[in-house]
Amino acid sequence: MKRPAILALTLLLTGCSLWGPEGGPGGGTGATGPANPPAARPVTAVTGPDGVQRITIQATDTLQFQPSLIRAHPGVIDITVHNTGVTPHTFTLPALPTAGIDNLNGGQTRTIHLTITRPGHYAFQCAYHATNGMHGELDIS
Amino acid sequence: MSPAPTRTTVTRTALRRAAALVMLLLVLAGVAPGSASAHTVSGVGATNFKTVLTGITPSVPGLTLRVIENGSRLELRNTTPAEVTVDGYVGEPYARVGPAGTYLNDNSPATYVNADRYGRTAVPAWVDAKATPKWRKISDAPLLRWHDHRIHWMLPTMPPAVARFPADFHRISTWTITLHYGGQQLSAAGELDWVPGPNPDGWLILIVLLVVWTGFGLPSLSHRWVAAALAVLIGVDVTHSTLIAAAAAGGFVAAFAADNVIQLGCWAVAAAGFFLLAQRKTSGVWVATGAAALIAVASGVTDMPTLWRSSAPLAGPLWLERLLVVATVGIGFGLVLALPLWLRAERFKAAQLPGEPAADEPAATQPGERVSRRGVLTAGGLAGLGGLGAGAALTSGSSPTPRANPAPVPLGRTAVPFHGQHQAGIITPARPQARMWIAAFDLAPHTDRAALTALLRRWTDAAAQLTQGLPYGTDDLIAAGSGPASLTVTVGVGPSLFGKAGLPLPARPAALTPLPAFPGEHLDPARSDGDLGVLICADDALVVFHAAHTLQRLTGGTAVLRWQMSGFNRTPGAGTDDNATARNLMGQLDGTNNPKPADPAFTGHVFATGPTWMNGGSYLVIRRIRMLLDQWDTLPVTTQEQVIGRRKDNGAPLSGGTEFTPANYGQTSPSGHPTIPVHAHIRMSTPAFNNGATILRRGYSYTADNGDAGLLFMAWQADPRTGFTPIQRRLITGADALSPFIRHETSALFAMPAGTPPGGYLAQTLLES
């Protein structure tokens, strides 16, 4: 006869899974991002035998570019963006407004060819998710 | 009446239902993470994220932009004569809003991405933000609502800063949306913040209290309270769901229907529960509990984050939303907790009343406690309308009644309520108890009103305790180990009390005038009349003696015993059918033609309406009627039946039918004689030939030395002048055929005052007049 009460209590306790990413009282039990996000490690584009530098960036459903910090030298750079999730993204370079990818649906892959001669920090972002932290930087040196 | 279910059947039924309820909860547990998720508006429920629009620069009168649905969408309204264009994410035109209506650019990825709160859509491959816009009209109204992903948090995980310090305020981002109006560029700017919610501990404690209060309070109460609790729960849930759906911008009905699929199902189940509860069926408690459990999970637990988050979508203040959620969880799980306790109480009741219906039969009730179907439905409707108001009513209206001490045997555990409109022992319990003691007391000389008042107060206090199985004063332990065994103590005053103890003779009601002398009677004055009358009945002789002895001791010299008599009736459980009419010592079924509590005139026949102290009281005529059994036994059964007018074996009137078939006094046999003889006892005593004079007979048999046996005839009535007196006069003048076989030896008349409320005492309004 006590079963329903026990069950109800169990439901109450497992209810946390119903409460979404913001979690239970105190924000404790829900899924959270990394507590201490590791500082982004720069990745250098690989120069091929044809002299073209190549790099592949993954755009994820956790609204991140991986890697988000790219190093390259002035010259021709092929950036391949692979959307690993289901959410559409863009790959937008505000400094080079015509060069980016306006929309990349989930599962799609697209490559852009950039020719950059001037060294500097070129920011890129997903236009949809920039306010959610989906951005990165291309360092040309 | 179907036979009472055995304990095994009851248990098996309960187990089957418990299994069904557990299944239901398991299914629910499986479904819950999917469709039974929290109430949301456009995908947003309770959250700590807060989207703020700081303003549009420059501002344009008639052009309004606002954040709606707790940050889920933006709403742009343009009542100016010119058109406004909203930019998409990469600077392309996304939407046009103006006098001509509202258009979306099918070449803008925003058209697709903005359709979903989390942007989980696909943009068609041909879409090209840089190409010429492909405008498509979506509405004639100059109004656009869209999920702009720049304004809210898109991730299923928390921002790192929030994850590290969830209790702190964080500015997550600032956002800008560009609009174009009349060749001018407008900039709408705002912020996305993390605003920590309040500490929910107070609300959580309130939930626990509500669960405990509902869970432990309800089982001791009637079906009516389970129905009321369910009605409050439904009322709260309807209010809750309605206020949330009302927060959706546009399309209340669609928002309500989409967000309350499970709730609508629950309300349908609850309606079935109300129907069954109105019929006082135990299954109604199960259905009500099932519905309550579903609602508590679907609308309560899933929405609990509202208690510790800083915002929630609701067309009303946030405290109201929190209160509604607390009530949903508290009452819902309280009902679930109440179920096993309720079932235990039901089994307890079923064990107490072996002949009473149990399980799925309507439960045993006291008259007046029966709950009408309309009453339940009205309660449901009112709660639906009133919601919390009804909750408040429930809070103030219910207090669990104290229970009697459990005792070793079920028969002994039964307690008859002492307090009430009428004294117990007149029509309660429904079946007269097995044992009875009646006595008259005379006031000691020079007793004043204060002493009489003190005596009645002592008797009242003792009766209130003993009838509930509780000790009073220094217990003599005579009935230790026994329960109340349906003990009733009924106390009244005789005609001779007036003129004593400061009660003037004119204060005596006319109905309490001493009975007239009837021709041919030789009454024993020493065993008749008396100033005070005490009637004690119970299903056990020790319990009766204990109560009688206690009350006698309590007289303390104020009153002295004048006479006492003891009687007996069929012991509960001794009969094949305890509800059948019992037999007297002549072997006749006695009491067949008694007025039934269901008769509309019943109360008018049995209970007086005045003076104040007798409003709800009743007059008792007690007569010791000796049966001359030696003579009676010489008669053949057919002659005995002619004397009474009924068959001896089954009590049917001689005019035919069964026990309760009305007698046909006009019927004649083929030889021309009335089938019910002219002097038959039932013809003489029937109300039909006595101007409707009606009495409630509740007599007991007695035996004494030397073959002395008979009936302690007791008749209850609103007024003996229209009850016992005319009937008795007619029995004598009409030469009742039974008269030669019986002899009235004693007689007394007592006015048994109305019942007492807790804290009062018997005859209080008489003595304080």
Side-chain angles (χ1 to χ4, degrees):
Chain A
M1 278 299 82
K2 298 275 186 262
R3 293 260 330 252
I6 291 170
L7 215 76
L9 190 68
T10 315
L11 275 177
L12 200 62
L13 293 176
T14 57
C16 304
S17 67
L18 301 175
W19 295 334
E22 290 185 51
T29 51
T32 52
N36 279 304
R41 280 181 49 216
V43 175
T44 307
V46 178
T47 310
D50 51 2
V52 176
Q53 306 173 84
R54 291 185 173 84
I55 182 78
T56 297
I57 299 176
Q58 295 186 333
T60 71
D61 265 358
T62 59
L63 309 191
Q64 283 176 308
F65 287 115
Q66 290 170 346
S68 60
L69 197 49
I70 317 282
R71 283 192 179 149
H73 304 296
V76 180
I77 308 158
D78 278 9
I79 299 179
T80 302
V81 183
H82 173 44
N83 185 340
T84 60
V86 295
T87 316
H89 298 294
T90 73
F91 185 79
T92 307
L93 291 142
L96 307 164
T98 55
I101 303 169
D102 280 349
N103 184 74
L104 191 65
N105 282 338
Q108 283 184 340
T109 304
R110 191 122 28 109
T111 303
I112 53 170
H113 307 279
L114 301 177
T115 305
I116 300 176
T117 50
R118 239 186 30 225
H121 301 289
Y122 295 81
F124 59 85
Q125 64 180 42
C126 165
Y128 308 148
H129 304 124
T131 55
N132 286 269
M134 192 169 185
H135 42 70
E137 198 175 80
L138 182 59
D139 280 359
I140 305 294
S141 56
Chain B
M1 169 144 301
S2 62
T6 61
R7 197 187 182 94
T8 336
T9 334
V10 175
T11 314
R12 204 173 296 142
T13 315
L15 278 176
R16 218 167 34 230
R17 287 169 173 167
L21 187 65
V22 168
M23 281 304 292
L24 181 73
L25 289 169
L26 282 174
V27 168
L28 182 69
V31 165
S35 51
S37 51
H39 276 110
T40 58
V41 169
S42 292
V44 175
T47 179
N48 281 347
F49 286 107
K50 184 174 173 67
T51 300
V52 186
L53 171 74
T54 44
I56 306 185
T57 42
S59 70
V60 176
L63 193 64
T64 51
L65 182 70
R66 61 191 188 106
V67 179
I68 59 169
E69 297 163 347
N70 216 20
S72 182
R73 294 200 281 178
L74 285 174
E75 181 186 87
L76 176 64
R77 203 180 283 271
N78 179 11
T79 54
T80 69
E83 198 165 60
V84 64
T85 307
V86 182
D87 273 3
Y89 296 96
V90 287
E92 83 287 7
Y94 155 55
R96 275 167 38 199
V97 180
T102 301
Y103 297 81
L104 291 184
N105 174 11
D106 279 347
N107 248 338
S108 163
T111 297
Y112 311 93
V113 174
N114 287 357
D116 177 72
R117 166 65 180 82
Y118 288 94
R120 292 196 184 101
T121 51
V123 180
W126 51 262
V127 168
D128 184 356
K130 294 181 184 69
T132 314
K134 288 169 71 170
W135 293 111
R136 172 172 54 91
K137 187 170 188 174
I138 57 160
S139 159
D140 283 333
L143 174 71
L144 178 67
R145 299 189 183 104
W146 76 102
H147 293 286
D148 200 300
H149 302 317
R150 289 167 280 213
I151 70 163
H152 48 225
W153 188 247
M154 293 289 285
L155 268 170
T157 56
M158 294 295 95
V162 171
R164 286 171 68 190
F165 303 108
D168 295 344
F169 174 92
H170 298 278
R171 170 133 310 156
I172 309 296
S173 60
T174 53
W175 49 268
T176 310
I177 293 168
T178 304
L179 303 96
H180 302 275
Y181 179 81
Q184 197 177 16
Q185 180 171 316
L186 312 180
S187 182
E191 294 144 6
L192 175 64
D193 295 334
W194 171 266
V195 183
N199 183 333
D201 291 352
W203 294 110
L204 296 176
I205 290 168
L206 203 57
I207 287 179
V208 172
L209 290 179
L210 205 50
V211 168
V212 170
W213 180 78
T214 311
F216 290 96
L218 283 181
S220 61
L221 300 169
S222 60
H223 287 70
R224 177 174 16 188
W225 288 104
V226 175
L230 182 62
V232 171
L233 179 63
I234 302 296
V236 164
D237 194 32
V238 170
T239 310
H240 181 203
S241 304
T242 302
L243 289 178
I244 288 174
F252 167 80
V253 175
F256 188 86
D259 211 26
N260 293 293
V261 177
I262 288 191
Q263 281 79 359
L264 288 166
C266 292
W267 301 338
V269 173
F274 281 127
F275 182 76
L276 293 169
L277 282 172
Q279 300 180 329
R280 306 183 64 82
K281 291 195 172 177
T282 303
S283 56
V285 182
W286 283 93
V287 175
T289 310
L294 281 161
I295 291 170
V297 173
S299 290
V301 173
T302 55
D303 281 4
M304 272 173 65
T306 193
L307 305 181
W308 55 80
R309 291 190 191 153
S310 57
S311 71
L314 187 85
L318 203 52
W319 62 261
L320 178 61
E321 159 81 349
R322 290 179 179 142
L323 201 59
L324 290 168
V325 168
V326 165
T328 306
V329 179
I331 299 174
F333 284 118
L335 274 165
V336 174
L337 176 63
L339 180 67
L341 300 170
W342 167 275
L343 290 174
R344 232 187 60 191
E346 283 287 282
R347 248 207 330 259
F348 178 79
K349 277 188 221 161
Q352 279 179 342
L353 308 164
E356 293 291 320
D360 238 359
E361 297 289 316
T365 71
Q366 303 289 349
E369 198 200 359
R370 200 174 185 91
V371 61
S372 73
R373 191 173 308 171
R374 179 189 287 177
V376 168
L377 293 180
T378 309
L382 283 177
L385 290 173
L388 289 168
L394 182 67
T395 314
S396 61
S398 132
S399 64
T401 43
R403 305 196 70 88
N405 266 348
V409 281
L411 181 71
R413 281 198 295 232
T414 311
V416 178
F418 176 75
H419 298 289
Q421 187 190 358
H422 311 302
Q423 287 198 61
I426 302 174
I427 58 169
T428 55
R431 168 188 57 72
Q433 300 96 314
R435 295 288 178 159
M436 167 274 229
W437 178 85
I438 186 163
F441 293 82
D442 284 337
L443 289 191
H446 313 300
T447 299
D448 61 8
R449 198 187 282 207
L452 175 60
T453 301
L455 172 62
L456 285 170
R457 194 178 274 286
R458 290 196 296 274
W459 276 0
T460 304
D461 292 346
Q465 288 288 105
L466 298 179
T467 56
Q468 305 309 305
L470 304 167
Y472 179 78
T474 312
D475 196 330
D476 53 28
L477 298 183
I478 293 169
S482 302
S486 297
L487 175 67
T488 58
V489 175
T490 319
V491 175
V493 302
S496 54
L497 183 71
F498 291 86
K500 300 177 184 172
L503 287 168
L505 197 58
R508 186 172 75 189
L512 194 56
T513 308
L515 295 177
F518 296 100
E521 280 183 359
H522 300 284
L523 302 176
D524 176 1
R527 292 191 293 165
S528 295
D529 306 325
D531 294 345
L532 296 169
V534 176
L535 170 66
I536 294 176
C537 302
D539 280 327
D540 180 76
L542 270 179
V543 170
V544 169
F545 182 86
H546 174 237
H549 193 62
T550 303
L551 263 60
Q552 262 180 279
R553 284 195 298 144
L554 289 174
T555 54
T558 304
V560 291
L561 187 69
R562 179 181 173 93
W563 54 261
Q564 60 179 321
M565 298 169 193
S566 291
F568 59 90
N569 216 325
R570 186 174 54 207
T571 304
T576 47
D577 177 2
D578 274 330
N579 293 309
T581 313
R583 289 181 188 269
N584 61 26
L585 298 187
M586 281 178 159
Q588 302 284 352
L589 293 174
D590 197 345
T592 297
N593 206 26
N594 257 341
K596 306 291 181 290
D599 295 345
F602 178 81
T603 304
H605 284 311
V606 177
F607 293 108
T609 53
T612 313
W613 61 278
M614 275 301 285
N615 184 8
S618 186
Y619 289 90
L620 171 67
V621 171
I622 159 85
R623 297 203 137 206
R624 181 180 171 102
I625 303 177
R626 184 176 191 141
M627 290 173 174
L628 309 177
L629 292 178
D630 290 344
Q631 283 97 309
W632 178 252
D633 291 345
T634 61
L635 300 182
V637 169
T638 48
T639 310
Q640 292 179 347
E641 291 178 337
Q642 297 280 314
V643 166
I644 303 296
R646 290 186 181 277
R647 285 178 55 142
K648 196 171 180 182
D649 57 354
N650 63 8
L654 295 181
S655 53
T658 60
E659 183 189 350
F660 294 103
T661 307
N664 180 354
Y665 295 106
Q667 193 187 71
T668 53
S669 66
S671 58
H673 296 292
T675 30
I676 299 173
V678 175
H679 299 289
H681 183 67
I682 63 166
R683 181 187 288 274
M684 288 293 124
S685 57
T686 182
F689 298 135
N690 286 294
N691 290 327
T694 304
I695 52 178
L696 175 66
R697 284 171 293 143
R698 211 173 153 102
Y700 282 77
S701 296
Y702 78 88
T703 58
D705 294 341
N706 304 321
D708 179 8
L711 176 67
L712 296 176
F713 169 90
M714 294 203 291
W716 298 93
Q717 58 237 290
D719 186 340
R721 295 170 302 167
T722 56
F724 173 76
T725 303
I727 295 172
Q728 183 60 18
R729 189 171 284 138
R730 179 170 157 82
L731 285 173
I732 290 167
T733 57
D736 168 32
L738 184 59
S739 293
F741 304 97
I742 58 174
R743 196 159 68 210
H744 288 237
E745 292 187 338
T746 77
S747 174
L749 170 65
F750 297 111
M752 300 295 207
T756 52
Y761 62 92
L762 288 158
Q764 181 169 10
T765 43
L766 168 66
L767 292 165
E768 293 179 6
S769 61

